[in-house]
Amino acid sequence: MMNGRDGMTRILFYLDGFNNDPWKQSLLDIDPAIDVRSYPDWGTPDDGPAYAFVWKPKAGLLKQYTNIKAIFSIGAGVDHLLSDPYLPKHIPIIRMGDESLKEGMAEYMVMSVLMHHRKMPHILNLQRKQTWQHIIAKPANQVSVGIMGYGTLGKEIAKKLAPFGYKLNTWSKTPKPAKPNITHYSGESGLKHFLENTNIITSVLPSTPETTNLINAETLSWMPKGAAIINAGRGTLININNLVDAIDNGHISGATLDVFPEEPLDADHPLWKHDKIIITPHIAAITRMDSAAEYVIRNIKAIENNQEPENKLDIERGY
Amino acid sequence: MMNGRDGMTRILFYLDGFNNDPWKQSLLDIDPAIDVRSYPDWGTPDDGPAYAFVWKPKAGLLKQYTNIKAIFSIGAGVDHLLSDPYLPKHIPIIRMGDESLKEGMAEYMVMSVLMHHRKMPHILNLQRKQTWQHIIAKPANQVSVGIMGYGTLGKEIAKKLAPFGYKLNTWSKTPKPAKPNITHYSGESGLKHFLENTNIITSVLPSTPETTNLINAETLSWMPKGAAIINAGRGTLININNLVDAIDNGHISGATLDVFPEEPLDADHPLWKHDKIIITPHIAAITRMDSAAEYVIRNIKAIENNQEPENKLDIERGY
């Protein structure tokens, strides 16, 4: 692989709080000739062209390295980059979309949908009360599952849910091409119909001004009685107080939350104790080093061949 | 549909403790001409040929009705019939195998496999401790899922698990034809290899002398460290004390149990409190009235046309 004047692919890696060595090794396993530099040993901008591969880099850092040709996010979300007021927006920014992330998210969502459909939160509470009680679930073909966010992750979720026979609805900001056996809704105008027709919501929506507090007292009231919500996108989607109220007054049956407005969720937060809310510690989809390395190197090649990389951030849309 | 001398299909229904009317109606919805008789209004053996459709009938009852041409079990298990010393074994006995039972069991098993693979029992415990902790699961292609009992239900489980990319192993009493991407083991001699190569066991095995206590201290020791067990077949499969010991000494990571040696599980039973065991109240697969009625009427037709009915009990095998 050739890149720039010295013919070497240079990757500037940033991941605070984790051992960076296995990540470096995953890249070198694919191409031993890559010059992988872990922060703070990024050298100087004069060292030649480079690609940033980062998670939550310090604000202003990326701007200093004017040799960066493209920025790869270690996760699917890019809010950790967009919060940097000095983010160099003129270069390509690429969201993670490797196989492990898609697989992990689909596993989490199928598991959580089945858990709500089969009333596991209730059954887990019965276990705590040492109570044997016959619990009947509806047949899957009488349950509508909605997917909010219908990009790389949403499509994988739909694919993995389909064999179970649920009615599938999807919602996204912009209209998407029709698919067999999926009812697609879009935009502000489509949201009400989507929610009215959905028993179990799964969300992988990114954090943008439009998605912030999108699930609130009003939109929750549009959902059918007994509906459930699974959120593994971003915590800003849901007004947590409104959700707790809707669960406590019996309109919403429960929720599974992997993401929160502030993470980690504070040890004293009352959400932990809510017996109709299952809390997971932002583990729905974890980028696996081997497939992430493969994804980054594949997309560096695409950029160098003047092809469009996968999952390139549209700054205007925010994802 | 014609049956016997008076040209009428007669079904003798027995289900104690539940309202029988919706069941009768499900049969009549398919064929209003059926003479459905709910116990004790079964009439006399002289009323003409009839089919029994029963769950846990009183011992000796079926023998008295010499007009019964075949016995349909309301559930997939037939231990409730085989425990009757007077069971008329010369007539066909048919296990339930309707779509709702297959669907329900596959939902339950996929949900439970994903829960153990993604370490949900541990995550649920962390929630109780209000603790946020990063939890990493192995990629699915490094996890072996084993299916014990590879008949109608086991095949549906394999089909629904396949898209997730697990390594699939199956075990049954007798050898089965090879299937792509599934490693099949059988018989006593195959059990050790099956268990040695399985990280998550799912069992839908029936209760027979051979399956009783099949999972015990010795066979548990054959499984890899960290293995998990999901049992939705019959409670007699597992020596519960041995399982608890193997979990407590760290060899087995946890279990999900839907069936127990005695049901309902006693309110004081220590199992309820075990934080690595998820207990569900025998709800993995519930026969749905509409599809069960369809199944029974379809198989009565088969019998009357001298065709082999589905899932006919082999008395020698015991399932």
Side-chain angles (χ1 to χ4, degrees), chain B residues 105-152:
Chain B
M105 185 59 85
E107 287 167 5
Y108 183 90
M109 287 303 193
V110 172
M111 175 185 80
S112 299
V113 166
L114 285 167
M115 285 177 74
H116 283 282
H117 164 211
R118 298 298 300 263
K119 306 190 181 177
M120 278 307 285
H122 184 48
I123 291 173
L124 292 167
N125 285 329
L126 287 173
Q127 177 172 357
R128 275 169 228 165
K129 294 174 189 158
Q130 309 194 192
T131 300
W132 183 279
Q133 187 184 300
H134 205 61
I135 299 290
I136 293 180
K138 280 188 187 172
N141 64 10
Q142 291 173 31
V143 177
S144 293
V145 179
I147 301 166
M148 300 188 82
Y150 195 50
T152 306

Side-chain angles (χ1 to χ4, degrees), chain A residues 155-205:
Chain A
K155 284 177 187 131
E156 187 69 22
I157 295 165
K159 193 172 121 188
K160 292 274 168 64
L161 280 172
F164 294 92
Y166 294 113
K167 288 182 270 187
L168 291 183
N169 299 327
T170 58
W171 181 84
S172 55
K173 185 174 170 180
T174 51
K176 305 270 169 167
K179 284 250 183 185
N181 302 318
I182 292 181
T183 307
H184 185 66
Y185 301 84
S186 65
E188 247 187 276
S189 61
L191 185 64
K192 191 161 191 261
H193 281 119
F194 169 78
L195 292 175
E196 282 171 347
N197 288 291
T198 297
N199 301 114
I200 302 174
I201 285 184
T202 67
S203 174
V204 288
L205 284 172

Side-chain angles (χ1 to χ4, degrees), chain A residues 1-11 26-36 49-51 69 72 292-307:
Chain A
M1 204 179 335
M2 302 292 286
N3 173 12
R5 63 188 176 200
D6 58 359
M8 178 174 273
T9 296
R10 190 173 289 109
I11 293 180
S26 294
L27 292 158
L28 295 173
D29 282 350
I30 297 173
D31 183 351
I34 296 177
D35 177 16
V36 188
Y51 295 91
K69 292 177 67 179
F72 289 87
E294 198 275 322
Y295 176 87
V296 166
I297 292 173
R298 180 170 82 225
N299 281 288
I300 288 177
K301 279 187 187 155
I303 292 170
E304 299 195 344
N305 292 326
N306 294 312
Q307 291 160 353

